[in-house]
Amino acid sequence: MSSKTFNIGVVGYGFSAKTFHIPFIQEVPELKIYAVVQRTPKPDDDAEKDHPGIKSYRTSEEMVKDAGVDVVVVTTAPDSHFELVKLALESGKHVVCEKPFTPTSKEAEELNAIAEKNGKLLAVYQNRRWDADFQTLSKLYKNGSLGRVVEFESHFDRHRPQEPSSSASNWKNKVIPGGSAIYDLGAHLLDQVVYLLGLPKRVTGFIGSQREVNTSGYEDSFTVLLHYGGGVMVTAKAGVVSPEEEQLRFWVRGEKGSFKKFHLDIQEDHLKAGIKPWDSGYGREPSERYGTLTAIQNGTPVKEIVPTVEPPTWTEYYRKLARALAGEGALPASGVEAGQVIRLIELAQESSKVGKTVDV
């Protein structure tokens, strides 16, 4: 890889920046945290104190004028993504945008066109391509352990039947453009499916709320059916009423075998517990969370435990980004790919609204 170091300017200094971006950027020698846009630093929440030596800006407009910034990482709420990404691209910066990319596929197309016009790289933070459970499933799918897959279920269910407090500042519980569960969680689930299987032929969507009390109108749940050729059906769903001790994550069935996995990837839990990507054991699942493969042997189903693969961790996203910046590989998740996912979300919304399956 090139020995060049790329300076990263981070827009926003909230949970996303601190938890899902900065620690992984710090893991890659070719990337350097150079600047942060933080509107209102506080004594106990100050990027300059947390990262001595960085430049601190109050606005994105100021930061993009800094010739030292090579890459802008946008970590703000989705309704601000279009303007911020556009600003950075037109200022001559490469961009990484937090998911969901944009509220509409039209905006995604416009940003991709701007990136191409300006000769800049535009990536979207689809980090869950490097979840250890998804990597394990991908390995089984690609090595033929499952045979011809006909049903692929991907879940992100939780039991949170109470309406979140109206005082909660998190965009993920508010009705905004690019909000709702299908943008938040669906962007991950749909990206994983398209990354592994490609685009479907048709989409059926069921989008709404499972909560009995829902004063905001926030759409907290969804089920999306992706129809592929050859009898292949994908179900991607997330719900907030699921009183299970162990939540189902994947259930994929093929002619030769079936893979079933419970629990979400452990990386987020580790980060929330203060375990960093460079700490021993980060991202590694305990054996009691391993999935099971049921294979047909001599006409009989035989079950075996499948150890979760050694996790590449979400650092791999930024490793691939560094290689792409050096001209040595493809982006970890491009704006074009992310735009396709946004289009699938729009089609699922349309399907849910009209009560019909729609063509892709």
Side-chain angles (χ1 to χ4, degrees):
M1 184 185 288
S2 168
S3 59
K4 176 176 170 55
T5 299
F6 298 93
N7 289 333
I8 308 294
V10 180
V11 178
Y13 195 61
F15 181 74
S16 175
K18 296 174 186 176
T19 309
F20 299 126
H21 290 274
I22 291 175
F24 299 100
I25 294 169
Q26 291 174 318
E27 274 280 86
V28 182
E30 295 80 14
L31 304 178
K32 176 186 177 183
I33 300 295
Y34 173 85
V36 172
V37 175
Q38 186 180 23
R39 289 183 180 176
T40 53
K42 300 177 179 63
D44 60 345
D45 182 23
D46 189 331
E48 281 190 279
K49 291 181 180 178
D50 295 342
H51 305 281
I54 68 163
K55 292 188 176 184
S56 182
Y57 291 98
R58 298 296 165 261
T59 70
S60 301
E61 287 77 8
E62 289 179 282
M63 189 182 76
V64 296
K65 293 177 183 176
D66 188 333
V69 175
D70 298 306
V71 184
V72 171
V73 177
V74 176
T75 71
T76 54
D79 57 347
S80 65
H81 287 177
F82 178 80
E83 293 300 335
L84 290 171
V85 172
K86 183 174 185 286
L87 172 68
L89 290 171
E90 292 183 338
S91 299
K93 312 300 183 185
H94 303 294
V95 177
V96 172
C97 182
E98 179 59 274
K99 68 83 213 165
F101 184 19
T102 51
T104 69
S105 59
K106 181 180 178 181
E107 290 171 312
E109 290 172 4
E110 185 173 341
L111 291 178
N112 284 316
I114 293 171
E116 184 176 3
K117 177 183 176 181
N118 287 274
K120 297 301 170 183
L121 300 181
L122 174 55
V124 177
Y125 195 56
Q126 296 289 1
N127 58 317
R128 287 191 176 273
R129 293 183 181 187
W130 291 277
D131 281 4
D133 52 14
F134 179 66
Q135 290 282 315
T136 304
L137 169 59
S138 298
K139 179 181 177 180
L140 295 173
Y141 177 81
K142 292 175 181 178
N143 70 16
S145 296
L146 304 174
R148 185 179 69 89
V149 168
V150 296
E151 280 207 79
F152 186 118
E153 291 187 33
S154 181
H155 294 248
F156 208 125
D157 300 317
R158 294 170 289 188
H159 190 56
R160 298 179 181 177
Q162 288 77 32
E163 183 176 34
S165 168
S166 60
S167 62
S169 60
N170 194 330
W171 68 264
K172 296 184 178 184
N173 296 314
K174 296 187 180 301
V175 179
I176 62 170
S180 80
I182 194 165
Y183 277 97
D184 176 22
L185 304 177
H188 281 311
L189 301 188
L190 296 174
D191 177 74
Q192 287 180 334
V193 171
V194 173
Y195 183 59
L196 190 61
L197 303 182
L199 287 169
K201 296 182 180 298
R202 294 178 297 153
V203 176
T204 309
F206 304 91
I207 301 170
S209 175
Q210 292 182 343
R211 293 186 172 112
E212 185 175 15
V213 177
N214 181 11
T215 58
S216 70
Y218 179 82
E219 294 175 333
D220 56 47
S221 304
F222 65 86
T223 297
V224 177
L225 306 179
L226 303 178
H227 308 253
Y228 287 79
V232 181
M233 175 72 76
V234 172
T235 303
K237 73 180 300 294
V240 292
V241 179
S242 183
E244 295 286 345
E245 184 179 10
E246 295 183 316
Q247 298 287 359
L248 179 63
R249 179 64 184 91
F250 289 113
W251 189 9
V252 181
R253 285 165 281 187
E255 290 182 337
K256 292 183 179 179
S258 169
F259 178 68
K260 187 176 286 188
K261 176 76 172 62
F262 293 85
H263 305 287
L264 291 172
D265 177 84
I266 205 167
Q267 291 184 76
E268 184 170 344
D269 286 345
H270 278 175
L271 292 167
K272 289 178 177 177
I275 302 172
K276 301 298 184 182
W278 47 84
D279 291 335
S280 175
Y282 171 79
R284 289 167 175 79
E285 282 198 325
S287 58
E288 59 268 23
R289 292 175 61 143
Y290 289 170
T292 58
L293 173 66
T294 301
I296 301 300
Q297 298 180 12
N298 298 319
T300 303
V302 177
K303 182 185 292 185
E304 65 172 304
I305 302 297
V306 178
T308 303
V309 299
E310 188 76 9
T313 80
W314 297 336
T315 302
E316 186 63 17
Y317 181 96
Y318 276 109
R319 292 192 194 103
K320 290 178 76 71
L321 177 70
R323 290 195 288 269
L325 290 167
E328 298 173 0
L331 285 169
S334 71
V336 172
E337 293 171 313
Q340 292 174 334
V341 170
I342 297 300
R343 182 59 185 147
L344 289 180
I345 290 173
E346 291 175 331
L347 291 172
Q349 291 174 318
E350 178 187 347
S351 169
S352 183
K353 183 178 180 179
V354 302
K356 295 180 180 179
T357 297
V358 297
D359 292 330
V360 174

